[in-house]
C-alpha cells in the first residue's frame, strides 16, 4: 500500500463511510471481462491448499473495472484482476490476484476488512482519436466543363477523415511505498453506448468471491456483491501490459492474468452494488475441525476484526 497521506492533493479529507457498517453501497458503471488464464499462473496468487477449477491447464479469470460515482469512499476507480475460480465444497468462487484503487480509504478497507490484496494506484484516462469517415458529392468534368460520371457511379467519394472522440483508454500505475509509480497496464475500453441507444435489460445478479489467507486476515473469507444494473454484451477490452523483466515475480504473474484470452465481456450501466460483510468459511481441510468445535465466526465492526462466537 502506498503512503498517500490522510488528505487529498487539494487538502480535503478522504471520505470514509465504511465505519458505518454494511451493507456498503456503490453506484456507477463497470466492465466485467472473463478471460482464460493459465492455472499455473493463477496458482501464484491462490493458496496451495485451495483447489483451482481448471480444464486443459486453464482457469477462468479476468478483470473487473469500475468507475464509482458514489461509495463509502466517495468517488473512485477500481480494477480487480481475477486470478481464477477456486473450488471449496459446496461452491466455487472467484479469487482476486490484485485489487487496485485510487483512494487509501478503500485500500485500508480491502486489506483489513475483506482480506483482499488491495494496492493504491493512479488511473489516468484519455480519449483515443477516432477516424470519422465523411463522404461528399463528387464529379468528373471533361474539357468542356460538362459533368460526367462513370455509368453506375453514385457520385459519392470518401474524403480526408476528421477526428472525433474514440474509446476511453485507462492507464494504471501502482503507487509504491515511496510514492514511486510502477506502470502495470493500459486498458482500452469498448466504445461508449450511443446516445439514446438501449442500455440493455435491468437485472439483479450476484458476484461471489473468496478472499483472506493474508497476514491481516488469516482466515478464509467469502463475500458477495449484489448488483442491480443494465447489462449488455460488448466487444472485449484491449489490455496492454509491459514485460516484467527485472520486476518481482508477482508482476510477471499479474501480467499473465491481465493478458488472458477474453471469453466474453459485459458492461454494467446504472449500477447499484450492495456488499455485505464477509463471512469466515473453512476450507476443506478445516471443515471437520470447525464442525467438531460447534463454532462459527462472526464479523465485528470494531477495527474490522473477525472474531470467534458460539453458535
Amino acid at each position: 500500500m502506498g503512503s498517500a497521506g490522510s488528505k487529498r492533493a487539494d487538502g480535503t479529507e478522504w471520505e470514509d463511510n465504511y465505519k458505518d457498517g454494511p451493507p456498503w453501497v456503490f453506484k456507477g458503471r463497470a466492465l466485467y471481462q472473463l478471460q482464460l488464464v493459465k492455472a499455473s499462473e493463477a496458482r501464484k496468487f491462490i493458496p496451495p491448499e485451495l483447489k483451482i477449477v481448471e480444464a486443459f491447464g486453464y482457469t477462468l479469470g479476468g478483470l473487473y473495472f469500475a468507475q464509482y460515482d458514489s461509495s463509502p469512499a466517495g468517488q473512485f476507480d477500481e480494477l480487480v484482476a481475477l486470478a481464477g475460480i477456486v473450488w471449496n465444497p459446496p461452491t466455487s468462487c472467484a479469487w482476486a490476484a490484485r485489487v487496485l484503487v485510487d483512494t487509501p480509504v478503500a485500500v485500508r478497507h480491502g486489506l483489513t476488512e475483506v482480506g483482499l490484496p488491495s494496492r493504491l494506484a493512479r488511473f489516468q484516462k484519455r480519449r483515443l482519436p477516432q477516424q470519422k469517415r465523411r463522404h461528399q458529392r463528387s464529379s468528373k468534368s471533361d474539357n468542356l466543363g460538362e459533368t460526367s460520371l462513370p455509368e453506375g457511379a453514385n457520385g459519392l467519394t470518401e474524403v480526408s477523415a476528421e477526428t472525433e472522440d474514440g474509446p476511453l483508454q485507462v492507464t494504471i500505475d501502482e503507487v509504491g511505498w515511496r510514492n514511486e509509480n510502477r506502470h502495470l497496464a493500459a486498458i482500452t475500453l469498448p466504445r461508449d453506448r450511443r446516445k439514446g441507444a438501449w442500455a440493455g435489460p435491468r437485472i439483479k445478479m450476484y458476484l461471489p468471491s473468496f478472499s483472506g489467507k493474508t497476514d491481516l486476515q488469516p482466515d478464509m473469507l467469502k463475500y458477495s456483491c449484489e448488483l442491480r444494473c443494465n447489462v449488455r454484451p460488448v466487444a472485449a477490452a484491449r489490455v496492454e501490459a509491459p514485460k516484467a523483466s527485472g520486476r518481482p515475480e508477482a508482476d510477471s504473474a499479474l501480467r499473465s492474468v491481465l493478458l488472458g484470452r477474453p471469453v466474453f465481456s459485459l458492461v454494467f450501466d446504472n449500477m447499484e452494488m450492495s456488499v455485505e460483510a464477509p463471512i469466515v468459511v473453512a476450507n476443506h481441510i478445516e471443515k471437520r475441525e470447525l464442525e467438531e468445535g460447534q463454532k462459527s465466526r462472526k464479523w465485528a465492526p470494531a477495527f474490522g476484526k473477525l472474531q470467534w462466537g458460539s453458535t
Side-chain angles (χ1 to χ4, degrees):
M1 183 178 83
S3 55
S6 59
K7 294 184 178 182
R8 299 177 185 270
D10 60 6
T12 59
E13 296 286 342
W14 294 103
E15 188 172 343
D16 184 2
N17 293 314
Y18 286 109
K19 59 183 178 296
D20 295 337
W24 297 292
V25 177
F26 302 76
K27 296 180 179 180
R29 56 204 176 281
L31 168 77
Y32 186 57
Q33 180 163 300
L34 290 179
Q35 303 180 161
L36 294 178
V37 176
K38 287 184 177 180
S40 58
E41 296 297 326
R43 173 56 70 190
K44 296 175 182 178
F45 299 101
I46 298 172
E49 67 271 22
L50 300 180
K51 180 177 177 59
I52 297 176
V53 178
E54 61 177 287
F56 306 105
Y58 287 86
T59 184
L60 200 57
L63 59 90
Y64 168 86
F65 174 68
Q67 302 173 81
Y68 300 121
D69 299 318
S70 67
S71 79
Q75 184 176 353
F76 74 96
D77 294 336
E78 176 181 46
L79 173 65
V80 181
L82 301 168
I85 304 296
V86 169
W87 170 248
N88 190 53
T91 188
S92 59
C93 293
W95 191 278
R98 191 80 58 88
V99 177
L100 298 157
V101 293
D102 58 358
T103 163
V105 172
V107 173
R108 184 175 64 248
H109 173 76
L111 288 170
T112 62
E113 302 281 0
V114 194
L116 289 169
S118 299
R119 302 290 185 273
L120 189 65
R122 287 195 174 96
F123 295 81
Q124 296 182 336
K125 304 174 186 177
R126 71 184 183 103
R127 288 284 177 182
L128 297 180
Q130 181 78 10
Q131 294 297 316
K132 181 180 180 181
R133 294 182 177 180
R134 181 168 60 88
H135 295 81
Q136 71 177 19
R137 182 72 57 181
S138 64
S139 64
K140 291 185 178 180
S141 301
D142 56 21
N143 292 333
L144 299 177
E146 296 176 349
T147 299
S148 61
L149 289 172
E151 185 177 352
N154 60 11
L156 294 179
T157 300
E158 187 173 298
V159 297
S160 300
E162 297 176 350
T163 60
E164 63 177 359
D165 285 342
L168 183 68
Q169 184 181 72
V170 184
T171 301
I172 303 101
D173 297 332
E174 185 174 325
V175 180
W177 287 105
R178 297 180 180 178
N179 281 335
E180 73 276 10
N181 293 347
R182 189 166 77 252
H183 178 57
L184 291 182
I187 302 175
T188 303
L189 302 177
R191 289 291 303 267
D192 293 339
R193 175 170 52 92
R194 293 192 304 272
K195 186 176 181 180
W198 189 42
R202 189 157 187 84
I203 66 171
K204 177 181 176 180
M205 63 184 296
Y206 294 88
L207 297 178
S209 295
F210 289 133
S211 61
K213 294 291 183 179
T214 65
D215 291 340
L216 293 175
Q217 286 291 1
D219 295 308
M220 184 170 175
L221 310 178
K222 180 183 177 183
Y223 66 98
S224 183
C225 303
E226 178 187 298
L227 283 79
R228 288 180 172 84
C229 59
N230 296 93
V231 61
R232 59 189 172 89
V234 293
R238 187 173 74 250
V239 183
E240 302 169 78
K243 292 184 178 180
S245 57
R247 294 189 177 194
E249 183 181 359
D251 278 8
S252 177
L254 180 63
R255 181 176 185 269
S256 297
V257 171
L258 291 172
L259 295 180
R261 180 177 297 178
V263 177
F264 70 89
S265 306
L266 298 173
V267 163
F268 302 149
D269 277 327
N270 308 309
M271 179 180 71
E272 182 173 335
M273 180 172 68
S274 178
V275 184
E276 292 289 346
I279 60 173
V280 178
V281 296
N283 63 46
H284 64 283
I285 297 176
E286 301 169 335
K287 277 188 176 179
R288 180 173 299 177
E289 298 175 1
L290 187 62
E291 290 170 358
E292 291 175 354
Q294 295 290 306
K295 292 182 178 181
S296 63
R297 298 170 186 171
K298 299 179 180 179
W299 184 84
F303 307 108
K305 298 297 183 182
L306 288 151
Q307 301 175 342
W308 282 98
S310 299
T311 56

